[in-house]
Amino acid sequence: MEDLEEGYTVILTSDRATMTDYSGVDFIGFILCLPYRLLPKPLIYKFIAPPIKTDRRGKALIAPYPLRKLEAALISEGFSREEVAIIPPERLHEFVRADTKVIGIHVLDPLGKAPVPYTLRSYFGGGDSCTKLLFLRLIDKLRKLKERFRFKLIAGGPGSWQLKEEYRRYGIDCLVHGEGELLFPELCRKVIEGEDIGGEYDGGSAPVDRIPNILGPSRSSLVQITRGCPRRCAFCNPTMFDFRSIPLENIFREIEVNKRAGFSHIGLVTEDGFAYGAKGIEVNKQAVSTLIRSIKDMEVTAGFCHVSISSILQAPDIVKEYSESFGYDRDNPYLPQIGVETGSPRLIARYMAGKSRPWTPKDWPWMVLEATQIANDNAWYPCYTLIVGLPSEEEEDIIKTLELIDELRDSKCWIFPLLFIPMGRSIMERESWRIMWEIFKEAHWELLTRCLEHNLKFSQEIIDKMMSKIPNPIARKVFERFFKYSISSLWDLLPSFKKNPMKLIKDASRLDVYSEANFLKELIHFAVLRMKEKIIIHR
């Protein structure tokens, strides 16, 4: 601390739900979407979201990709490296000073309203998600620091819509929607010059030539290859931004930054990896193939975070090239996230017709089945998401989805039904929020049951391969026990869920193992129940 005579002018940070490396594997982060009462406190802070390491001046050695982009934007606009720092939340109190003028925070899911946490909170009986808990902990710390040092607090990121119109209650002076590379440095300059910046701003879509390359390694070695989405689904907000492909030379520079930090696997940030280089929705095979070959030549492996059904169907040869180039096979499968959303052509046509292009909405069920076969043949085991509760959804739409799930019963994939969320900055943002138990009918519960059965079966098959990806042996053992215990428990509870799902959800609402005292109490309670079961069976 003594070495830091002056504070940083601009500090960038985020809550622990994003300022962490998830013990080295991104999929662990999805556990933070659960209500925090279902997770022991040590599991959250030591294994799911362990703190990021820093240098002696408090700067994060790796950092969330969006903060790396803002850091680069500030420096490209004339700020010096000595003025700007990405500081993890647990070290903010050590490095904020009187000459700190701005703290910028990246928000992903500040209030637990994103589709996955909102859905899991509903399925497990309510309560705040871990993501909300960790955001509020950050805000509590920042409020205390702000009272003392009087800096301006600027928030932005994919979750900014959750704070719209109520950001001031959290001590936030300025809320930025859209992209921040152009707007954020300008706001920081205004603060330094004494101008008022209070209010909400829209950063829009930054031109590709104004998006700077990151200067330090990113969490999970992320590198962005596209921004926006050309398919224009009504429920989604990334599609509201202009679609852009990042130039190859910029991608290579960012890969080198992460490679120098010791990363050998690159996470490619995109809404559809096979859309790279496309002018519309038609796959540009040459551009994608060039990207794959070039990354392979850099002696790293890579994985897209998202890809689409239509793109897989358009380019099965590129799917094969992708797996062969990066060594994906049955022992090392690739696990992309893909939005199936529904088995109903009617809903596809109404809310997301772009998903099926260049085919038609009526082709959608066939498209999903064919794309799944192509994926599985190349060791791609997708995590499919569905949307239930769309405003005009009818029972026939759910039946169509059930029929599709039945066709997928032998496929290697997960299928997660997510509740419809009127996400801010989407075409459907003005739709009303719909509570699960008010909209679920018998067909919905059947859908949930079939998905649960399918997911448990596939999870048992894939769990050991997933756990092998966790580099830390202690964390690997902890999560192996956690997931296998969870799978076993859910199998045990399945008959009760089929019989009376609402009762089981109500029972789940009373479970709280966050504190050590509650964890021990629930553990003893569970042990007593198991003992009673054994006595009954023995008799």
Side-chain angles (χ1 to χ4, degrees):
M1 276 296 301
E2 288 71 27
D3 328 84
L4 193 66
E5 295 179 358
E6 296 181 353
Y8 299 110
T9 305
V10 181
I11 289 176
L12 305 172
T13 192
S14 65
D15 57 58
R16 273 278 281 279
T18 54
M19 188 72 81
T20 179
D21 70 347
Y22 309 115
S23 286
V25 184
D26 254 6
F27 67 76
I28 296 296
F30 284 104
I31 304 175
L32 295 175
C33 296
L34 285 164
Y36 76 84
R37 60 182 175 77
L38 297 180
L39 300 168
K41 190 174 181 180
L43 182 65
I44 296 174
Y45 293 99
K46 292 184 179 180
F47 296 103
I48 303 173
I52 278 178
K53 293 179 181 179
T54 64
D55 64 16
R56 64 181 181 81
R57 302 188 71 227
K59 291 188 175 185
L61 297 182
I62 62 170
Y65 188 79
L67 293 184
R68 284 295 190 207
K69 281 295 189 184
L70 290 185
E71 174 190 50
L74 288 165
I75 292 170
S76 71
E77 291 299 318
F79 288 82
S80 71
R81 289 177 181 259
E82 288 68 37
E83 291 179 287
V84 179
I86 301 175
I87 307 289
E90 58 274 3
R91 300 206 68 185
L92 286 171
H93 63 284
E94 300 176 55
F95 294 97
V96 175
R97 293 283 188 277
D99 47 358
T100 298
K101 301 300 182 184
V102 175
I103 293 185
I105 59 174
H106 166 65
V107 292
L108 180 63
D109 180 46
L111 302 181
K113 292 183 176 181
V116 176
Y118 182 75
T119 298
L120 290 180
R121 288 193 293 124
S122 300
Y123 289 170
F124 286 93
D128 287 341
S129 65
C130 295
T131 55
K132 182 177 180 180
L133 168 73
L134 296 172
F135 170 74
L136 293 180
R137 289 194 61 171
L138 171 64
I139 287 297
D140 184 57
K141 173 171 278 194
L142 288 171
R143 274 179 172 153
K144 293 171 183 175
L145 289 170
K146 192 177 179 187
E147 286 176 8
R148 181 178 175 188
F149 296 110
R150 303 297 176 187
F151 52 78
K152 294 297 181 181
L153 189 57
I154 302 176
S160 64
W161 64 273
Q162 299 183 25
L163 301 172
K164 188 174 175 61
E165 298 175 356
E166 58 174 329
Y167 61 94
R168 293 189 186 279
R169 64 180 284 207
Y170 298 108
I172 296 168
D173 299 286
C174 174
L175 186 64
V176 175
H177 304 288
E179 299 173 7
E181 284 92 347
L182 304 184
L183 180 59
F184 184 69
E186 179 186 337
L187 291 172
C188 291
R189 287 290 184 203
K190 287 183 177 181
V191 171
I192 292 168
E193 292 166 5
E195 294 185 39
D196 179 31
I197 61 158
E200 295 186 47
Y201 295 79
D202 192 334
S205 300
V208 167
D209 60 358
R210 298 289 303 279
I211 301 173
N213 298 323
I214 62 172
L215 303 172
S218 57
R219 186 204 74 216
S220 305
S221 57
L222 297 181
V223 172
Q224 192 167 50
I225 61 170
T226 68
R227 283 195 183 183
C229 177
R231 296 193 180 273
R232 304 299 182 199
C233 297
F235 58 85
C236 189
N237 52 22
T239 199
M240 302 302 287
F241 296 95
D242 296 335
F243 177 73
R244 292 143 290 165
S245 293
I246 307 300
L248 282 174
E249 56 269 27
N250 294 14
I251 294 170
F252 299 156
R253 288 193 187 103
E254 294 197 346
I255 290 175
E256 283 293 350
V257 168
N258 284 299
K259 191 177 173 183
R260 286 196 296 271
F263 290 107
S264 59
H265 179 84
I266 304 299
L268 302 176
V269 180
T270 176
E271 298 302 319
D272 181 352
F274 279 18
Y276 184 78
K279 299 301 182 184
I281 51 84
E282 184 178 348
V283 174
N284 184 335
K285 292 187 179 184
Q286 182 177 350
V288 179
S289 183
T290 298
L291 176 68
I292 293 169
R293 290 197 309 271
S294 300
I295 293 174
K296 181 185 178 184
D297 289 344
M298 297 182 76
E299 299 182 337
V300 293
T301 59
F304 300 130
C305 54
H306 296 94
V307 71
S308 73
I309 292 294
S310 173
S311 293
I312 290 172
L313 280 177
Q314 290 182 60
D317 50 333
I318 304 297
V319 173
K320 183 178 180 181
E321 179 183 1
Y322 187 85
S323 289
E324 291 176 348
S325 296
F326 298 131
Y328 292 115
D329 55 32
R330 284 181 293 181
D331 294 323
N332 177 36
Y334 169 48
L335 311 173
Q337 298 175 48
I338 302 177
V340 167
E341 321 309 6
T342 179
S344 166
R346 187 185 74 85
L347 292 181
I348 291 288
R350 177 155 187 172
Y351 297 111
M352 52 197 107
K355 272 188 175 294
S356 58
R357 291 172 57 204
W359 291 273
T360 68
K362 69 179 181 181
D363 296 316
W364 186 246
W366 162 82
M367 290 174 65
V368 173
L369 296 175
E370 185 67 21
T372 302
Q373 187 62 57
I374 294 169
N376 283 183
D377 287 346
N378 291 279
W380 289 27
Y381 302 159
C383 174
Y384 285 146
T385 54
L386 304 174
I387 299 177
V388 294
L390 284 162
S392 68
E393 179 186 82
E394 298 174 0
E395 186 174 13
E396 181 60 29
D397 300 309
I398 296 297
I399 291 171
K400 291 287 186 184
T401 303
L402 282 166
E403 290 171 353
L404 178 60
I405 290 171
D406 190 51
E407 293 283 352
L408 289 168
R409 62 186 176 277
D410 296 323
S411 301
K412 296 181 184 299
C413 62
W414 289 279
I415 308 169
F416 287 107
L418 300 177
L419 301 177
F420 165 70
I421 303 298
M423 292 178 65
R425 317 283 292 175
S426 72
I427 294 171
M428 299 179 73
E429 67 177 343
R430 297 189 182 279
E431 296 287 346
S432 59
W433 288 74
R434 309 180 76 194
I435 301 171
M436 182 182 74
W437 49 85
E438 291 181 351
I439 63 172
F440 266 38
K441 298 179 174 60
E442 186 177 346
H444 290 97
W445 293 117
E446 179 63 24
L447 174 67
L448 207 56
T449 301
R450 289 198 203 175
C451 289
L452 180 56
E453 286 181 308
H454 176 93
N455 293 338
L456 289 174
K457 180 182 176 183
F458 180 59
S459 294
Q460 284 181 315
E461 179 182 340
I462 197 76
I463 189 67
D464 289 332
K465 293 181 177 66
M466 293 178 66
M467 294 302 98
S468 68
K469 296 179 182 292
I470 301 175
N472 183 309
I474 297 174
R476 189 187 313 132
K477 182 61 68 174
V478 167
F479 284 116
E480 182 180 335
R481 291 184 177 181
F482 173 80
F483 282 114
K484 288 186 175 180
Y485 170 77
S486 299
I487 291 168
S488 174
S489 298
L490 287 170
W491 271 125
D492 290 344
L493 292 169
L494 192 57
S496 298
F497 184 79
K498 290 179 177 180
K499 184 178 179 180
N500 192 341
M502 283 307 300
K503 180 182 183 304
L504 198 59
I505 290 173
K506 187 175 180 180
D507 290 344
S509 71
R510 293 191 286 266
L511 183 62
D512 184 350
V513 298
Y514 179 72
S515 70
E516 290 183 21
N518 281 348
F519 178 65
L520 288 173
K521 182 179 73 175
E522 294 290 350
L523 198 62
I524 293 169
H525 178 65
F526 177 76
V528 169
L529 286 178
R530 284 297 174 105
M531 191 179 298
K532 287 180 178 178
E533 288 175 4
K534 288 181 180 179
I535 291 171
I536 291 169
I537 292 170
H538 179 71
R539 285 178 178 173

